[in-house]
Amino acid sequence: MTSDTPAITPNAGPLGREEALAIARWLSERISRHVGIEVWWRPDSAIVLPDRDGAVHAEMMLSAMKQLATLHPALTITPYALDQFAERAQREAIHLAPTTILRGGGKSIRISGLISGLLFPPLLDVVTFLSAETPLQPETKAALAGLPRPLDIEILLAPYDAYSGHLLRLLGAFAAESKNIRLTAIEAAEFPRLASIKGITEVH
């Protein structure tokens, strides 16, 4: 282990030691400025209440983001218990647990649900986009810079769907490039009540 690779405690989260070390090395080559990670969570419960979906993997997402934050000194994490900070959550329109907000360079990206499987590598890309230059072409950057007003974009994802990962990576780059792109990504399978309200039966 080199001196610039952070020490990693085995079993400190869902990532295995070798996987965590590989991600740490990958991040060390790509991160240049601070990225803050907020995780809004509540204790796991699969019960669907009349007013909200249960929190199925909130604790796992919190554990994963805590572990991710140990892999590079420019990453920091702030957990928020949704019920404890209910007033602030209401002000920020946060209703789903877990909801992770990535902040960097004056931009932010909101992701609800457990990001796993095919979605995890694009999540890492989004973190690096917020910390450094996005890979977008100059003409795309110019078009985003010329947006006259904020644009809210919501995408529904699934961890088994390769196209979902592509969408998260592409639109994450847009949101990391422009403050006028406000991206919300939702892992649809975790929120059946929300999917029913939106008329979503599958993501493919």
Side-chain angles (χ1 to χ4, degrees):
M1 183 183 302
T2 63
S3 59
D4 59 350
T5 302
I8 298 170
T9 303
N11 303 321
L15 297 173
R17 179 177 176 81
E18 293 305 314
E19 185 180 13
L21 284 170
I23 291 172
R25 287 191 291 268
W26 186 85
L27 291 173
S28 70
E29 298 171 357
R30 290 165 175 82
I31 286 187
S32 59
R33 63 175 178 253
H34 173 254
V35 175
I37 305 170
E38 295 178 10
V39 180
W40 293 79
W41 71 288
R42 57 167 53 99
D44 289 351
S45 171
I47 299 173
V48 180
L49 300 175
D51 62 332
R52 68 172 187 246
D53 284 299
V56 181
H57 294 116
E59 294 175 19
M60 184 179 293
M61 188 63 177
L62 176 60
S63 176
M65 293 301 98
K66 283 183 175 179
Q67 187 179 19
L68 180 62
T70 68
L71 304 185
H72 195 284
L75 302 179
T76 59
I77 183 166
T78 306
Y80 290 100
L82 249 173
D83 298 324
Q84 181 180 352
F85 295 92
E87 186 175 328
R88 178 172 177 177
Q90 186 173 14
R91 287 199 308 269
E92 299 192 24
I94 298 170
H95 310 293
L96 301 176
T99 289
T100 302
I101 303 177
L102 306 173
R103 301 185 189 275
K107 291 100 172 178
S108 66
I109 295 168
R110 182 176 299 200
I111 302 170
S112 294
L114 175 66
I115 301 303
S116 61
L118 296 177
L119 295 177
F120 192 70
L123 171 68
L124 296 177
D125 284 331
V126 170
V127 169
T128 65
F129 296 161
L130 287 166
S131 177
E133 291 294 317
T134 67
L136 299 173
Q137 295 296 316
E139 56 270 24
T140 303
K141 293 182 179 183
L144 291 170
L147 287 174
R149 62 184 65 86
L151 176 63
D152 292 313
I153 299 176
E154 181 180 276
I155 55 174
L156 300 178
L157 310 172
Y160 52 80
D161 174 45
Y163 191 64
S164 290
H166 174 71
L167 269 180
L168 179 57
R169 185 179 285 111
L170 176 63
L171 295 177
F174 286 179
E177 187 67 39
S178 172
K179 292 180 182 179
N180 275 339
I181 298 291
R182 300 189 296 210
L183 176 63
T184 299
I186 301 171
E187 201 284 271
E190 284 200 43
F191 306 108
R193 180 179 178 275
L194 177 66
S196 176
I197 290 172
K198 292 181 177 292
I200 304 298
T201 56
E202 60 180 332
V203 176
H204 59 81

